Structure formats: C-alpha cells, structure tokens
Amino acid sequence: GAGVSQSPRYKVAKRGQDVALRCDPISGHVSLFWYQQALGQGPEFLTYFQNEAQLDKSGLPSDRFFAERPEGSVSTLKIQRTQQEDSAVYLCASSRGGINTEAFFGQGTRLTVV
Amino acid sequence: DQQVKQNSPSLSVQEGRISILNCDYTNSMFDYFLWYKKYPAEGPTFLISISSIKDKNEDGRFTVFLNKSAKHLSLHIVPSQPGDSAVYFCAAPRTYKYIFGTGTRLKVLA
C-alpha cells in the first residue's frame, strides 16, 4: 500500500483480556517503530525493528507487552492481561532506515481498556 | 526528563496571520529536528525538518528556525489557513528513535 496501515483502528478490551495490534509498513521500509501516545502527550517510543530483528525494546512498559516482525514486514504488538493504564493510541511508523530519515506513521489504534 | 519541550499547549490565530509554534530542547547532541502535524483520528504526518548545520529551512508557507545557542526552534506558518488547524509536534531523533514534544494545538480562526 501507499502508506502505513494499522488495524484495528479502535479496540475496546475488558481488563485482563489479551489484544493484538497489527501494522503493515510501507513496502521496502527496513525500520519499523511502535509508539504509545497517551491523551495530551506526544508519542513515546516503545520498540524498534530493523528488518526482522528487534534491536531495541527499552520502551516497552512491562513484560506484558510483546512485539514481533517475523518476516521483516508486518509487525504485531501484543499486550497480555490488559490494564486500564494501557489505554492509549498505539502508533506504528516505518522508514527507509539510516540516520535522520523521515518516519511515516500509520493512523494508529486507539485501545480502550474497560 | 523531557528532552523536547513544547510549553504552549494551544494557540489561536486569525486566518491570514502568522502562526509561531515554539519548541525547546535540552540535549545539545541533537542535530536534526522535525515537525509533525496531526489531525484528529489520524497519525502524525511529516511537515518539515532542519539540520543543525542550518538555522533556517523553508517550504512554501512553512519555515523552521533553529537557534542552537538557545536550544530553541520555531515553526512559522504564513499565511495561516483554517486547514492548518491541528496538533503540531516537534521531534528530535536520538539515534533511530524520535523524542517528541507534548504538542501544540493550533486553531486558525476563519
């Protein structure tokens, strides 16, 4: 596709439920990022992939968060046993890679945990 | 530690006038900065960037100014249009990841 695609756009989960958020990056983009954006805040880094390798997961808030990109294209962010504080917009971005290259963001998935 | 700061959460400007959005940073190692624009229910879209070797970069109605000694950058929009109403984020890459400010909501009044 022409841009970064994320699904679902909206997800309501009951506390304790597991969720999986999908990201389709721009074709050929080596780098893929996940960010979390809380209400009224800027996006905050969660994790980074270069092709299929997860090179940085320092931003993942707890071990309930897990991300994968097994074939170096589509990525999934999984959150186990969701809690109310997980409610946020989860943004995926991709880029060609390299220093100071522009990242293209998807529309995000708004997760609400009730 | 907020390394990139946008101290004005909101700004209202009349159509046709200049909008000035400000951003301050604390890390002198930052050498590249970007501005992103975000409409409701959409992801951020890239607007304009500037390298630290420059003090100004212009693209149509949008100009970014960088003052390295003050660790300050600003985005100027001239003339402002109602379609510019959005949240604007400044960001700085630290290696591969972006550090974002908290955003400024711009409202351009018709």
Side-chain angles (χ1 to χ4, degrees):
Chain A
V4 179
S5 178
Q6 291 186 246
S7 61
R9 291 290 312 279
Y10 303 92
K11 176 69 179 177
V12 178
K14 290 186 177 179
R15 192 170 53 183
Q17 186 180 352
D18 296 350
V19 299
L21 313 180
R22 177 187 167 103
C23 172
D24 275 279
I26 293 173
S27 178
H29 275 193
V30 168
S31 299
L32 185 143
F33 309 84
W34 284 98
Y35 286 82
Q36 180 190 59
Q37 185 177 14
L39 193 64
Q41 300 297 314
E44 293 201 0
F45 171 82
L46 293 178
T47 188
Y48 162 62
F49 290 86
Q50 186 176 86
N51 296 306
E52 70 279 2
Q54 188 176 22
L55 298 186
D56 188 339
K57 53 182 181 179
S58 63
L60 296 176
S62 78
D63 59 7
R64 297 185 295 103
F65 286 71
F66 172 75
E68 59 183 6
R69 192 186 186 198
E71 296 178 359
S73 56
V74 171
S75 176
T76 304
L77 176 67
K78 298 179 179 177
I79 309 173
Q80 297 176 324
R81 304 181 304 281
T82 52
Q83 301 178 6
Q84 283 190 316
E85 61 262 30
D86 300 336
S87 296
V89 175
Y90 290 86
L91 293 164
C92 176
S94 70
S95 76
R96 294 189 313 273
I99 298 296
N100 297 339
T101 53
E102 173 193 342
F104 296 82
F105 283 82
Q107 293 174 302
T109 294
R110 179 177 293 280
L111 172 65
T112 304
V113 181
V114 297
Chain B
D1 176 30
Q2 193 71 27
Q3 297 187 55
V4 177
K5 302 177 186 179
Q6 293 177 259
N7 293 319
S8 298
S10 64
L11 174 69
S12 291
V13 171
Q14 284 294 132
E15 180 180 7
R17 305 296 292 269
I18 184 171
S19 295
I20 300 176
L21 296 96
N22 294 303
C23 179
D24 297 292
Y25 61 96
T26 58
N27 191 337
S28 57
M29 298 298 290
F30 289 150
D31 61 0
Y32 190 74
F33 301 90
L34 308 94
W35 284 93
Y36 278 81
K37 175 179 177 179
K38 185 180 184 303
Y39 292 118
E42 294 185 13
T45 55
F46 171 75
L47 190 58
I48 192 169
S49 63
I50 188 165
S51 165
S52 61
I53 62 173
K54 295 184 176 181
D55 54 16
K56 176 182 174 181
N57 188 27
E58 191 171 354
D59 183 2
R61 297 185 297 113
F62 302 91
T63 303
V64 57
F65 295 92
L66 175 61
N67 182 332
K68 290 187 289 293
S69 61
K71 295 193 180 71
H72 177 84
L73 60 154
S74 60
L75 174 67
H76 293 212
I77 307 173
V78 184
S80 301
Q81 299 175 354
D84 297 328
S85 297
V87 178
Y88 290 78
F89 293 97
C90 66
R94 189 175 68 191
T95 59
Y96 45 77
K97 56 185 164 184
Y98 290 2
I99 310 298
F100 283 88
T102 52
T104 296
R105 182 178 302 277
L106 173 65
K107 187 170 184 180
V108 180
L109 307 169

